[in-house]
Amino acid sequence: MNNLANDVPPPQGRNVRWRADLPVTVARVRYLADLAVALVQLGRPSRVLVGENGGAALTLGACHRVVVVVVIRDGAGWSYLWDGSQRYPAGAGAEGLLRAATALEAAAR
């Protein structure tokens, strides 16, 4: 399972690696950076990781685990997803961003 959008079909051939569409990667990184800044406001550091294939994730360290957040397409918009089921709208304004950051911070305790 991966959390990357399936907009771009996987390439054909033996040694060809799949890559996310550049605008998709840019959108994901932007939303994850917004979430990282909101977490800083709550006093929690995090890391945004971008893989060579364009996959992006935010990691938040917890006492006994690391919570990984990805951005997925959700209908016509985007959502933050972590723990496989925790979903909050991305790009929902300052209040929505703070709500997502607060929920993520609570999940990481």
Side-chain angles (χ1 to χ4, degrees):
M1 176 181 129
N2 71 39
N3 293 315
L4 298 173
N6 293 322
D7 300 58
V8 180
Q12 303 298 316
R14 269 182 125 224
N15 295 320
V16 179
R17 295 190 60 147
W18 181 87
R19 286 190 181 270
D21 193 28
L22 183 60
V24 171
T25 299
V26 169
R28 287 185 171 133
V29 171
R30 181 172 44 94
Y31 288 129
L32 291 171
D34 290 345
L35 185 59
V37 170
L39 287 166
V40 167
Q41 291 175 331
L42 297 175
R44 293 297 301 261
S46 62
R47 292 184 179 178
V48 175
L49 309 168
V50 182
E52 66 184 33
N53 67 348
L58 178 142
T59 61
L60 180 63
C63 292
H64 303 288
R65 68 185 188 120
V66 174
V67 180
V68 178
V69 181
V70 295
V71 176
I72 60 169
R73 288 198 186 206
D74 189 12
W78 298 88
S79 290
Y80 298 110
L81 178 71
W82 64 89
D83 287 345
S85 63
Q86 296 297 312
R87 189 179 290 208
Y88 287 82
E95 288 182 21
L97 183 60
L98 186 57
R99 200 171 15 255
T102 301
L104 176 58
E105 197 272 333
R109 286 190 201 140

